[in-house]
Amino acid sequence: MNRFHAVPGVLAAVALVACGEPTGPAGALALNRERWRARGSADYEFAFQRYCFCDRAALAPVQIRVAGGAVAAVIDTLGQPVDSAGVAWFFTITIDSLFGVVDHAIAVGAHELDVRYHPTLGYPESIVIDYDAATVDEELRLEAALLVPFTAAVR
């Protein structure tokens, strides 16, 4: 048997990497993070929801407004501001922090990681993580949707 039998497949994979195509979760993360950075706004709002075996208050669907890259307001489904303690504990979420969640899951070698990115803006719309196959109830799902950039005049 030729010891170089698998070389064509290896060369194809190397060629894809060399051409800049994303490979695996880290490649997809880098590509989409750059897409997000290229759009150039630190001012936006989006719908957010967390699904996990955690504090019930953390599971509430909310609208998060980010100004200058930091959370400026969190509004509940009734249109009321979430109290400052709730924001501090559960909703200091920005798009950059969602990228950080994906980055962390990759770094620690999560058992399962499934991320769906917005096709044009690149932000993570859905993140599903199972950190450890042998651990019960540590799975996490985060969803971001309906992102709307806004200008300083709208604030």
Side-chain angles (χ1 to χ4, degrees):
M1 176 183 262
N2 184 342
R3 67 183 183 146
F4 297 107
H5 181 70
V7 170
V10 171
L11 290 177
V14 170
L16 279 176
V17 172
C19 291
E21 293 294 321
T23 58
L29 172 64
L31 174 73
N32 285 290
R33 185 179 262 157
E34 187 52 40
R35 246 186 218 146
W36 174 251
R37 286 183 180 149
R39 62 177 287 288
S41 178
D43 302 321
Y44 55 89
E45 63 182 65
F46 66 102
F48 174 78
Q49 188 157 16
R50 174 187 292 111
Y51 301 87
C52 58
F53 188 72
C54 52
D55 190 298
R56 191 171 180 197
L59 303 175
V62 294
Q63 186 76 16
I64 299 175
R65 177 169 274 198
V66 176
V71 174
V74 178
I75 307 300
D76 67 19
T77 57
L78 299 175
Q80 299 301 310
V82 174
D83 67 67
S84 61
V87 171
W89 276 96
F90 306 119
F91 300 114
T92 54
I93 306 294
T94 65
I95 296 302
D96 287 333
S97 71
L98 292 175
F99 281 115
V101 169
V102 175
D103 200 23
H104 177 262
I106 293 168
V108 301
H111 168 68
E112 194 173 311
L113 173 63
D114 182 31
V115 184
R116 186 182 75 243
Y117 295 97
H118 187 277
T120 56
L121 298 177
Y123 69 89
E125 291 182 305
S126 174
I127 304 168
V128 179
I129 305 170
D130 182 357
Y131 285 99
D132 184 351
T135 304
V136 177
D137 292 336
E138 49 54 82
E139 299 86 4
L140 172 67
R141 185 170 97 208
L142 305 173
E143 293 185 356
L146 307 172
L147 187 133
V148 179
F150 62 89
T151 62
V154 177
R155 286 188 212 168

